[in-house]
Amino acid sequence: MPNDQDKTELLCEQVLHACNNNKPLAIRAGNSKRFYGREVEGDALLVDGHLGILSYEASELVITARAGTRLSEIEAVLERNGQQLAFEPPMHSERSTLGGAIASGLSGPARAFNGAARDFVLGAKIINGKAELMQFGGQVMKNVAGYDVSRLMVGAQGTLGVLLEISLKVLPKPEAEMTLTYEADAITAHRWLRDWLHRGLPITASCHYQRRLSLRLGSTENSLRAAHKTMGGEIADSAMWPQLRDQTHTFFAQPNLWRLSLPPSAALENDEDSLIEWGGALRWKASNNNLFEKARRLNGHATRYQSNAAAAGTNPAQDIFQPLQPTVLAIHQRLKKAFDPLNILNPGRMYKEL
Amino acid sequence: MTLTPEKSLVVRCLQKILPAECVLHETEDLRPYECDGLSAYQRVPMVVVLPETAEQIKQILSFCTTRKIPVVARGAGTGLSGGALPLDDGILLSLAKFDRILKVNLDNLTAVVQPGVRNLAISEAVSAHGLYYAPDPSSQIACSIGGNVAENAGGVHCLKYGLTVHNIIKLEVLTMQGDSLTIGGDAFDSPGYDLLALMTGSEGLLGIITEITVRLLPKPETAKVILAAFDDVATAGQAVSNIIAGGILPAGLELMDHAAIGAADDFVNAGYPRDAAAILLCEIDGGTAEVTDQLSRAHRVLERSGATQIQVAEDEQQRNKFWAGRKAAFPAVGRLAPDYYCMDGTIPRHQIAGVLTRISELSDEYGLPIVNVFHAGDGNLHPLILYDANIEGELEKTEELGGKILEVCVEVGGTITGEHGVGIEKINQMCVQFNAQELTQFHAIKRAFDPDELLNPGKAIPTLHRCAEFGAMHVHHGQLPHPELERF
């Protein structure tokens, strides 16, 4: 398989063709996140052949790559320089791409501590729904020229533009890591955790599941030793973190899974069946009920999340994401129109109105 | 002054919405609002309003929408790009009375504040809890958080702690048409498009922010600063890259050139090595053990990078002294000439040495001295051009030189503004950074929020017509590229 291939021209032509014929496009790269959104009816626009790392210099803390570049390749290159994508994008399969990570905007276990995908995006080259090639942001750390269109693309699931190239800020990997575990119910565990976070301890991931709190710490060796002394807990194996990131952990195999994103301090239940990450702010739960209303009452939002269905096919045609406030939805529709007036880019992928 | 019939009608209508003392319309009352921190541009607004509630803002906006009156929002007026420059036929909406911290949530480490709250006041209010608000623009004593959001303000600590966009989680916004929007949320992410990112840095063109939820961080246990001296600027620039490549993420990494060192040291007696061609201030913060490890690593890197002198501040007093020099650098440089003009380009770090050389060549060419003191860790330059506004034509020459510097930044892969915003100041350079299609896309975004284009019109995003006049776009036989595109 080649690892450097520029399909910009072809992709522009395909979008133009779709415009001229008023035919919707279903944008696809690695297809590992097919489950994460509503089914799109349209001709496939394949981005996975548009690949290659375009620039990377460790001293700049910036990597620029084409959207079809596999995440595994990017991670390997960064790893060789002691650096990382600090938001830990989930790799639902070996085929997961940079474009998919940014279009979905999903972030892994480190999110609560290091920041989310959107926090690391510095620039993007896109094709809008009028087949126009455009570039926003750049490769520098600070840039306030024009609206922040590159961040707007994060999580927009291709409905505003086809991602072609993305520049990301990268960070040094911590010199050392350590996993600590404790036996505690969810309420107690999160009380400890809040106290430790408040004291600035170098926590980079948390997980509470079945009366067990697991924490990942990242810093220098000396600092980890000092932190362990303060926090106690048993040193444990670190294998669970990639499993959480990529959702290969057995927990994610259950049907009717919901993802609840809530304020960290939202009331906890001591139920044995939830898996809680992000210091309390991300809660996973299997439920036959619709949890949108419950999430709203807790000042957060819910997502129907069937990562397991990826293999089987797609999510049924129902609402996947929390319904939007009517005034906010209206702005979404007008923005969609501003980028994609003919409604050809992944129509209905996020909401049926978009 | 005599009121035009239009103005007197506007004043009367606004007085029905607001108490009389909150509607300013006499010239002497309007004068203080004629400019923001960029005093080279001045314009007296038709009326200034000082609403006290979101409901009043809503009514003002509805009124202005009906009468098609443009509205410019203003926070503390410290912005450096003329973003809050009023319009003579428009209303200046001051958010100065929105100055309350509404709530501090110690469980979620957030604070809900009104837009007129001063940046530093947030950190002061939560300091007793061991918390602070990270973005610290140099104007933090005076600038307001609403203005910070509008400009996506940065500061000294961005490389490690991010810009405003990384440190806010929720906004309450009113659109020009009076719709209330909740953007972002109390959780770590929210459904739909990332409107929070779009609003941040939108320079008051998309909506009026009435409430902001910011993230608070625990104060680091320890902070240490290293001062390293170099005998040329290029070596110092290379040392910046070496530190980052060495796996160190400093809380602050600042560079000052020879002229800045002298000026700052004269001003506050910072204890800088005055014979150095450049100094770096490198701050490391975090847990004590981590800081000790990183500090010795940084020390080694600086040694290998050719520093002629390396000094770790021995105590808090010396650390504050080192920083006092950096923080006083702008006013200190202000004593070197009657006026100075502060630029704000950002470049890839490895270009620092080359761009500083180009800047010094341009300085010679224009016969205007330039002092450099900037956020080297972010590659965010702040060249200060020294001039005398009383000399005929010197401001124009200075602006032209500034424009040239920004074009150099774009040329090496950087941007025309890192943290000060485009406003009115850099509107021509936007034509260099973006092409006609991209600018058209920006205008389409604007109209999605503000269809009548009444919010801060003429700022931040140039019309294609303006770019054609500026000559930055290729005009062939009097025709713009893409003649099919609408011009505004």
Side-chain angles (χ1 to χ4, degrees), chain A residues 31 47 69 80 112 128 162 195 199 279 286 303 342 345 348:
Chain A
N31 208 21
V47 187
T69 314
R80 282 201 289 279
N128 71 3
V162 181
D195 176 51
R199 287 156 68 182
T303 309
L342 301 171
L345 301 178

Side-chain angles (χ1 to χ4, degrees), chain A residues 57-62 81-83 105-107 111-113 115-116 118-121 126 128-149 151-157 159-160 169-173 175 194 196-202 218-224 226 259-266 278-279 281-282 298-302 321-340 350-351 354, chain B residues 105-109 129-131 151-156 158-163 165-166 168 175 177 179-183 185-198 200-203 205-206 215 218-219 221 240-242 244-245 247-249 287 289-290 293-294 297 344 346-351 375 377-380 382 413-422 430 433-435 437-451 460-461 484-485:
Chain A
E57 220 168 313
S59 69
E60 291 297 321
L61 296 181
V62 178
N81 289 277
Q83 296 185 338
L106 290 169
S107 307
R111 191 270 169 253
F113 315 92
R118 55 92 78 175
D119 292 317
F120 291 90
V121 169
I126 64 164
N128 71 3
K130 295 191 276 184
E132 295 168 337
L133 191 64
M134 299 188 288
Q135 193 151 7
F136 298 99
Q139 303 190 351
V140 291
M141 294 293 146
K142 283 170 157 178
N143 186 353
V144 292
Y147 302 122
D148 198 344
V149 175
R151 278 202 176 87
L152 180 65
M153 294 297 136
V154 184
Q157 304 230 41
T159 58
L160 298 177
K169 179 179 178 179
V170 301
L171 285 181
K173 282 184 87 136
E175 188 181 298
R194 259 203 291 287
W196 289 328
L197 285 173
H198 206 124
R199 287 156 68 182
L201 286 150
S219 187
T220 64
E221 299 275 4
N222 290 328
S223 160
L224 291 186
R259 173 191 191 272
L260 282 88
S261 178
L262 306 174
S265 69
W278 297 5
L282 183 64
L298 292 168
N299 294 322
H301 68 102
F321 300 103
Q322 182 92 23
L324 300 172
Q325 205 184 8
T327 51
V328 174
L329 178 62
I331 290 282
H332 275 68
Q333 289 173 304
R334 295 211 290 267
L335 270 176
K336 168 75 172 165
K337 212 163 191 165
F339 280 88
D340 180 21
M350 298 173 77
Y351 294 96
L354 287 184
Chain B
N105 184 325
L106 296 177
D107 287 331
N108 290 335
L109 300 188
H129 303 291
L131 302 171
E151 302 294 326
N152 193 12
V156 171
C158 295
L159 183 61
K160 186 168 178 183
Y161 295 105
L163 301 146
V165 70
H166 302 106
I168 59 172
T175 67
Q177 292 169 314
D179 286 334
S180 306
L181 308 175
T182 300
I183 287 177
D186 296 313
F188 283 164
D189 48 32
S190 42
Y193 297 147
D194 196 336
L195 300 183
L196 192 64
L198 195 58
T200 312
S202 63
E203 305 199 20
L205 270 74
L206 302 183
R215 287 175 60 211
K219 283 191 240 177
E221 190 180 19
V240 170
S241 292
N242 295 347
I244 309 293
I248 299 158
L249 195 62
E290 184 179 12
D293 291 344
Q294 295 272 13
R297 198 193 276 199
D344 172 45
T346 303
I347 54 170
R349 270 180 294 266
H350 68 269
Q351 300 279 5
H375 313 308
D378 302 311
N380 186 191
H382 288 319
T415 172
I416 57 169
T417 173
E419 57 183 3
H420 294 173
V422 173
M430 283 292 281
Q433 182 135 16
F434 296 99
N435 67 30
Q437 287 182 344
E438 290 155 354
L439 293 172
T440 303
Q441 185 67 68
F442 284 145
H443 286 294
I445 292 170
K446 159 85 170 157
R447 283 197 301 271
F449 283 81
D450 175 20
I461 315 289
E484 76 282 6
L485 293 174

